[in-house]
Amino acid sequence: MFSEQLISSFGLKKTPFYYYDTGLLHKTLFAIKEVAVLFNYNIHYAVKANANERILQIISSYGLGADCVSGNEIDQVIKNGFNPKQIVFAGVGKTDEEITFAINSNIACFNCESIQELEVINDIAGSLSRKVNVALRINPNLDANTHHNITTGLNTNKFGIPYNDFLLIIEDFKKYENLNIEGLHFHIGSQITDYRVFNKLCKRVNEFNNFLLGKSVNIRHINLGGGLGIDYDEPENQIPDFQAYFEIFNKNLEVRTGQVIHFEPGRSIVGQSGILVTKVLYVKNNGDKKTIILDAGLTELLRPALYQSNHKIVNLTSSKELDVYDIAGPICETTDYFGRSVQLPETSRGDLLAIYSTGAYGEVMALHYNMRPPAEKYYSEELIL
Ligand code: LLP
């Protein structure tokens, strides 16, 4: 990924910055589209993973839809080439203004997360003399075997409609006269690497789909959410195995004639295409521990501090003997570390480090804590001549 030419152009830039390998993004999009077309699956890119305009423009050029969780995301994707008719809108706390904006933007569907929200959407749609499409986001109470802070499909999580409320909605679905209840939506968590979880999800979806068959609710859309993990330990595995992932659903989902299947991948599309480039400010030495202090911190990449997540780190400018370091940011927080006891070539002030796999939930989760300015971003086509 890093030619000498690229590293020397990195050296001319103010650090830290996000670097996007747009060639890899194109390859990843090509790969997911190729397989999705085979299975006739609809892909809505989960914008929360990365809402950078240039990235969105590339993604929209592949004809993907968008999964949004705020009015601003809807606005941003429409401005960057996505078709409103391919936008779905999820989120547990949609405001009245966002609901109104989404209806007026003619999006495809609301992924509705509570019985209370259903009533509000119904009222707002009525006041606009509109009928809107809704998918019920079911909380399937299924453990995704991922980090507990990014699990969403358990009864203890705030997401989705609890089973009892789901039954109430179905019993009386005709009362929502301004809604077409036409879809089921599931999302059980993120960074899922244990594929058996998706088998279980299929089983649960089949149960709901069968149950509704006898209830005259016409479910035309089934949305399986996102969640496919990427390889943070070995980011050289750049493109996730979309074929294997979709095959699980193709094999295990009981799809009825006329039903359309949707997915909302975020991380698996953009994750490996981004890296964070940062400079070494100091190497502290307190007895047997050496600590590298970088000019990037949790303000540019929150994931390690928030989920104890691992991102591969390399020194781009040293090839000396290996040594062992803790790697920290400059922020006044005890959790501002990117790694502990990491092996790196002997590292000194001024070295450039690359932190891998920051394309998803990197730039988009940046903070300005400690009055940090936003980091710059560069794209491979600008830096590789
Ligand atoms: N659909 C829904 C309804 C979601 O809530 C999410 C992610 C996705 C799709 C996309 O999931 P993905 O394919 O990216 O796994 N900030 C955390 C991840 C939070 C994910 C929240 N929901 C992280 O950095 O790991």
Side-chain angles (χ1 to χ4, degrees):
M1 195 177 188
F2 306 112
S3 64
E4 276 185 23
Q5 188 195 6
L6 185 58
I7 294 170
S8 42
S9 58
F10 284 171
L12 302 173
K13 308 285 181 207
K14 181 179 175 331
T15 51
F17 60 84
Y18 301 101
Y19 169 76
Y20 291 106
D21 181 346
T22 49
L24 176 56
L25 179 59
H26 279 286
K27 278 191 213 154
T28 311
L29 285 162
F30 185 82
I32 192 168
K33 260 216 102 167
E34 198 178 24
V35 199
V37 164
L38 276 184
F39 295 113
N40 216 2
Y41 289 159
N42 276 325
I43 308 297
H44 304 261
Y45 165 64
V47 179
K48 63 176 80 65
N50 191 319
N52 169 315
E53 295 201 73
R54 291 225 355 211
I55 300 296
L56 290 179
Q57 284 158 19
I58 294 175
I59 296 173
S60 66
S61 75
Y62 283 75
L64 266 56
D67 155 41
C68 297
V69 289
S70 70
N72 280 348
E73 282 191 0
I74 294 174
D75 193 32
Q76 175 90 332
V77 297
I78 293 175
K79 283 184 179 140
N80 286 286
F82 285 82
N83 180 350
K85 294 261 171 286
Q86 292 176 276
I87 296 176
V88 295
F89 183 19
V92 284
K94 302 175 186 81
T95 64
D96 295 14
E97 291 74 18
E98 288 175 316
I99 292 168
T100 306
F101 178 68
I103 295 176
N104 287 332
S105 302
N106 300 314
I107 66 161
C109 183
F110 285 80
N111 291 337
C112 180
E113 306 231 11
S114 66
I115 193 166
Q116 294 80 8
E117 179 194 327
L118 211 57
E119 276 159 24
V120 171
I121 299 178
N122 186 54
D123 288 348
I124 296 178
S127 71
L128 297 171
S129 313
R130 294 283 301 271
K131 189 145 189 170
V132 303
N133 300 330
V134 165
L136 302 176
R137 176 171 178 178
I138 312 286
N139 185 328
N141 196 24
L142 204 74
D143 191 351
N145 295 347
T146 185
H147 190 277
H148 58 92
N149 283 359
I150 49 174
T151 284
T152 56
L154 291 173
N155 279 347
T156 46
N157 302 132
K158 67 180 174 183
F159 301 99
I161 300 172
Y163 188 65
N164 285 344
D165 284 351
F166 167 75
L167 293 179
L168 287 176
I169 294 167
I170 296 307
E171 281 314 304
D172 210 5
F173 76 97
K174 292 210 170 104
K175 81 170 196 190
Y176 303 103
E177 49 190 17
N178 307 312
L179 307 180
N180 295 319
I181 300 183
E182 56 160 21
L184 292 179
H185 177 240
F186 301 82
H187 173 80
I188 53 173
S190 199
Q191 184 51 20
I192 298 172
T193 49
D194 176 357
Y195 281 26
R196 289 169 303 180
V197 169
F198 297 121
N199 283 312
K200 289 192 200 153
L201 174 61
C202 290
K203 218 173 143 226
R204 200 58 63 89
V205 173
N206 291 340
E207 285 165 13
F208 278 95
N209 204 8
N210 285 333
F211 168 78
L212 286 177
L213 191 59
K215 296 280 175 192
S216 65
V217 184
N218 185 12
I219 296 300
R220 299 198 305 123
H221 299 278
I222 299 182
N223 184 330
L224 286 315
L228 176 61
I230 61 169
D231 195 340
Y232 282 98
D233 297 330
E234 292 178 34
E236 300 73 19
N237 290 327
Q238 293 181 319
I239 301 184
D241 193 347
F242 295 118
Q243 176 89 26
Y245 173 64
F246 288 141
E247 256 165 19
I248 295 174
F249 294 92
N250 186 50
K251 218 168 111 197
N252 296 292
L253 266 189
E254 293 163 18
V255 183
R256 281 184 233 306
T257 318
Q259 286 187 327
V260 184
I261 303 299
H262 304 254
F263 290 88
E264 301 169 336
R267 187 189 318 263
S268 53
I269 291 183
V270 286
Q272 302 292 32
S273 297
I275 62 162
L276 177 63
V277 179
T278 164
K279 200 171 272 173
V280 176
L281 293 176
Y282 305 101
V283 183
K284 294 175 70 171
N285 192 343
N286 60 345
D288 43 26
K289 182 146 285 220
K290 290 182 183 155
T291 304
I292 295 172
I293 309 287
L294 297 173
D295 64 0
L298 60 77
T299 40
E300 286 71 44
L301 180 65
L302 186 57
R303 303 193 69 257
L306 202 56
Y307 320 112
Q308 301 76 49
S309 61
N310 175 50
H311 287 252
K312 181 173 169 174
I313 302 173
V314 297
N315 186 324
L316 299 174
T317 48
S318 165
S319 48
K320 297 182 186 151
E321 294 272 298
L322 287 179
D323 206 341
V324 177
Y325 299 95
D326 283 357
I327 304 178
I331 307 302
C332 299
E333 286 291 330
T334 310
T335 56
D336 186 28
Y337 275 82
F338 292 114
R340 301 271 190 178
S341 302
V342 179
Q343 277 204 338
L344 283 183
E346 192 187 319
T347 295
S348 19
R349 174 174 166 80
D351 277 344
L352 282 180
L353 267 54
I355 305 180
Y356 277 78
S357 316
T358 59
Y361 308 110
E363 183 188 340
V364 83
M365 289 176 78
L367 305 171
H368 58 250
Y369 183 45
N370 289 188
M371 285 199 77
R372 302 269 293 174
E376 246 334 313
K377 41 227 168 179
Y378 299 100
Y379 305 87
S380 49
E381 70 270 19
E382 299 172 340
L383 295 190
I384 305 173
L385 305 172

